[in-house]
Amino acid sequence: MDADVIVVGHGLAGLAAAAEAADAGRRVVLVDQEPGQSLGGQAFWSLGGLFLVDTPEQRRMGVHDSHELALSDWMGSAQFDRDEDLWPRRWAEAYVDFAAGEKRSWLRSMGHRVFPVVGWAERGDGRADGHGNSVPRFHITWGTGPGLVEPFERRVREHVAVGRVRLAFRHRVDELVSSGSAGGSRAVTGVRGKVLAPDAMGRGKASNRTEIADFELTAQAVIVSSGGIGGDHDLVRAAWPERLGTPPAFMVSGVPAHVDGRMIGISRSAGADVVNEDRMWHYVEGLRNWDPIWDNHGIRILPGPSSMWFDAAGRRLPAPYLPGFDTLGTLRHLRQTGYDYSWFVLTQKIIEKEFALSGSEQNPDLTGKDLKLLLGRVVGDGAPGPVEAFKEHGADFVVADDLSDLVRGMNQVGGPEQGGAVIEEDLLRRQIEARDLQIDNRYSKDTQVAFIRQHRAYRGDKLVRVASPHKILDPRNGPLIAVRLNILTRKTLGGLVTDLSARCLSSNGEPLPGLYAAGEAAGFGGGGMMGYNALEGTFLGGCLFSGRTAGRAAAAATS
């Protein structure tokens, strides 16, 4: 045999799985179709946000959290309602135990640290028993995505140095190899595929698909940790659920093209069961990257609560479809408008305090652990540099000193000539003026204004995230800014069904011998542990938890 364990996919889940299996003394081959410069996968590009429960960081911010509250939030968000949700529900319970238990200390033992201000992402639909986070739980890694990848890459490379792990870059798996009698149980015993030509492209960019050789590797266990389908928009549209309306004709891509879902189909062909393929997570605050890394590269705005949100025709979105509250609810609402985009309207004061861009490369202060840059963010010394660069160069931004010029620019960026709707200045003005009148009223009837004040009651938001309430049309707060928001593909919430040992199950519910799955390919555990809705900070944590579980279980099952 070539190894005890083969791991297919060198993203965060794969690195965690390989490190854990090697720590247990097993020989591991880590296989990926991409070159070594893409080691770490999508996690490298992330903000590094992690869902953690009842932490010292929360308590220092005055946040009271508990396992019970987190589990209630999770189940309210997941809304499990299918027979296929047996294992996803069990994985959800196990993951909340992990997030409220050893997750933080386990990461800290590897040198991982978090930014002390806890973020409050995905606040939900406003119902006590509905989805959303009741309290801030979004812990940003100090160093963002690269800072989260680093300890796992370091662990793997330490094993490479002593010959326990082999890194097989540019090895594209096309088939899972099985052995056993025709009438008996067939076990997965390896992988087979093509060696691709070397490629010196930059991290995240498309690599060549030139085949130069065949390969076959054998092992006692194979772990599939190859990601989801977000880079293939045709697959996304094919799986798009009716409950979210019609699939968009235009989307921007939040992941590189190699996030293609190939291994999910290959695993299914080998006998593994796949469920909940219609559950997916896409953002509605996507920007076309003015300086793209991959084709059709999209960046997500992580907005504060103050920007006014309008559909393509200039009609204000109702609560709870407010910035940062209900991602899929807002997506469902916008798909009913007949257009693939919407608008934020805000001020310079709002963009300086409230706009953050998701991605390690868009946050040089946190990624580079630069305290001087970080201080500028905290004291509000202008908008962060990457945000100002988007404002200046981004195709989705309109900046103007008065509303008439703003509307004119909005219609140039998103009007009929671009296949969009016409925004009427009078309609937009009436809605903004009505909102501005509520700023003088401490007991505002405007839901969004009331939420802005509620946000500022949390010291973390008041410190770094939420602008003081002000009138949008007051020129002292300008200039005015409009931002066209596109739908951005991101995560697959369903996937390969796994038991709590990360073993892939067949359609009859029995383990498929030798095959394990982790990360997005397994719906982050069980075939979809997040159900219909994610609580944010759960994707990376799901990769870590399922990767760790798969690596340990595969090691225990091999000799």
Side-chain angles (χ1 to χ4, degrees):
M1 284 193 175
D2 297 291
D4 300 310
V5 179
I6 296 170
V7 179
V8 183
H10 67 197
L12 187 61
L15 287 173
E20 293 292 329
D23 280 356
R26 302 298 179 259
R27 294 176 302 123
V28 179
V29 178
L30 182 56
V31 176
D32 200 282
Q33 65 183 349
E34 295 305 305
Q37 55 265 37
S38 289
L39 189 68
Q42 297 175 63
F44 181 90
W45 300 109
S46 74
L47 193 58
L50 294 171
F51 176 92
L52 294 167
V53 179
D54 192 22
T55 64
E57 291 78 19
Q58 286 176 301
R59 292 191 288 273
R60 282 193 290 268
M61 288 284 105
V63 175
H64 301 283
D65 200 6
S66 68
H67 175 276
E68 180 183 23
L69 182 61
L71 186 61
S72 175
D73 286 348
W74 192 290
M75 294 303 175
S77 297
Q79 299 174 8
F80 294 124
D81 61 359
R82 298 173 176 173
D83 292 341
E84 296 87 350
D85 287 332
L86 170 66
W87 288 109
R89 181 186 291 273
R90 291 179 179 176
W91 270 89
E93 294 168 347
Y95 180 71
V96 174
D97 289 347
F98 178 61
E102 65 174 311
K103 180 179 178 181
R104 181 179 180 276
S105 61
W106 177 63
L107 287 169
R108 283 183 68 84
S109 71
M110 291 178 257
H112 177 270
R113 297 294 184 269
V114 297
F115 184 55
V117 178
V118 184
W120 197 348
E122 200 62 20
R123 301 185 188 218
D125 57 10
R127 304 196 319 267
D129 61 346
H131 59 271
N133 280 301
S134 297
V135 297
R137 296 192 178 105
F138 192 71
H139 297 67
I140 297 175
T141 297
W142 185 231
T144 67
L148 184 58
V149 169
E150 189 278 331
F152 295 93
E153 179 178 349
R154 182 181 69 243
R155 289 174 62 194
V156 167
R157 290 196 182 279
E158 287 172 353
H159 287 297
V160 170
V162 297
R164 189 167 289 141
V165 172
R166 171 187 164 196
L167 300 175
F169 302 126
R170 303 300 281 158
H171 282 58
R172 186 191 69 204
V173 174
D174 297 324
E175 181 184 355
L176 293 172
V177 179
S178 300
S179 65
S181 62
S185 177
R186 295 185 63 82
V188 172
T189 56
V191 297
R192 182 182 295 137
K194 298 291 186 181
V195 179
L196 304 179
D199 199 318
M201 92 297 174
R203 179 189 286 270
K205 293 186 179 295
S207 61
N208 73 68
R209 290 295 179 262
T210 304
E211 300 172 1
I212 60 174
D214 297 320
F215 81 91
E216 183 170 337
L217 296 168
T218 58
Q220 297 179 67
V222 174
I223 301 172
V224 174
S225 57
S226 53
I229 66 172
D232 187 328
H233 290 192
D234 289 336
L235 285 180
V236 170
R237 293 187 185 96
W240 193 274
E242 185 177 345
R243 67 180 178 276
L244 293 180
T246 58
F250 174 75
M251 298 178 282
V252 293
S253 189
V255 296
H258 64 255
V259 185
D260 54 16
R262 290 183 71 254
M263 283 304 303
I264 298 174
I266 290 169
S267 300
R268 192 203 312 258
S269 297
D273 195 18
V274 181
V275 298
N276 299 320
E277 292 175 275
D278 64 321
R279 292 178 181 171
M280 53 185 65
W281 191 259
H282 307 303
Y283 292 109
V284 283
E285 311 101 334
L287 303 175
R288 292 171 285 178
N289 194 345
W290 68 273
D291 187 19
I293 295 169
W294 52 82
D295 290 343
N296 194 27
H297 186 179
I299 294 292
R300 184 204 174 197
I301 299 169
L302 283 74
S306 302
S307 297
M308 294 188 72
W309 205 334
F310 299 91
D311 66 19
R315 297 173 297 237
R316 190 180 182 189
L317 271 58
Y321 310 131
L322 304 173
F325 273 75
D326 184 359
T327 294
L328 291 192
T330 306
L331 174 60
R332 183 173 58 249
H333 175 84
L334 290 173
R335 294 311 302 144
Q336 298 170 5
T337 68
Y339 296 96
D340 293 344
Y341 69 96
S342 59
W343 289 99
F344 275 170
V345 173
L346 59 148
T347 66
Q348 180 66 22
K349 281 189 177 180
I350 292 173
I351 203 171
E352 288 181 358
K353 190 76 170 180
E354 298 194 6
F355 262 41
L357 300 175
S358 181
S360 55
E361 80 281 15
Q362 301 297 330
N363 293 273
D365 51 352
L366 294 168
T367 301
K369 304 179 182 179
D370 189 319
L371 294 176
K372 184 177 180 181
L373 276 178
L374 181 62
L375 182 62
R377 183 193 294 244
V378 173
V379 301
D381 184 19
V387 173
E388 282 292 344
F390 264 88
K391 196 180 84 173
E392 180 179 354
H393 303 293
D396 295 310
F397 280 74
V398 179
V399 183
D401 290 326
D402 61 67
L403 190 62
S404 297
D405 287 342
L406 190 77
V407 170
R408 188 175 302 111
M410 293 168 74
N411 284 327
Q412 290 173 350
V413 170
E417 291 186 5
Q418 289 75 37
V422 173
I423 291 181
E424 297 178 0
E425 181 183 341
D426 287 347
L427 172 63
L428 199 66
R429 185 179 297 275
R430 287 197 303 271
Q431 294 172 98
I432 298 174
E433 286 178 343
R435 177 265 186 203
D436 281 358
L437 280 173
Q438 296 298 313
I439 294 296
D440 294 331
N441 176 14
R442 182 179 177 186
Y443 305 103
S444 171
K445 71 175 183 179
D446 186 289
T447 302
Q448 185 173 9
V449 173
F451 274 129
I452 292 169
R453 293 187 171 123
Q454 183 188 52
H455 279 55
R456 287 177 61 84
Y458 167 50
R459 72 181 68 155
D461 277 350
K462 186 173 183 178
L463 179 65
V464 300
R465 201 73 179 95
V466 182
S468 299
H470 61 269
K471 295 182 178 181
I472 287 177
L473 293 181
D474 186 335
R476 293 175 296 180
N477 301 318
L480 293 170
I481 302 166
V483 187
R484 172 181 154 139
L485 306 173
N486 309 283
I487 295 168
L488 179 144
T489 63
R490 186 57 66 87
K491 294 298 180 185
T492 307
L493 297 188
L496 294 161
V497 183
T498 57
D499 64 13
L500 288 180
S501 294
R503 297 181 299 178
C504 287
L505 305 182
S506 62
S507 58
N508 64 7
E510 294 298 318
L512 192 62
L515 188 62
Y516 300 75
E520 194 174 350
F524 303 94
M529 75 170 185
M530 297 173 200
Y532 289 96
N533 296 282
L535 285 176
E536 293 293 5
T538 54
F539 300 127
L540 296 171
C543 287
L544 292 174
F545 182 55
S546 60
R548 185 179 91 149
T549 299
R552 291 180 177 183
T558 58
S559 57

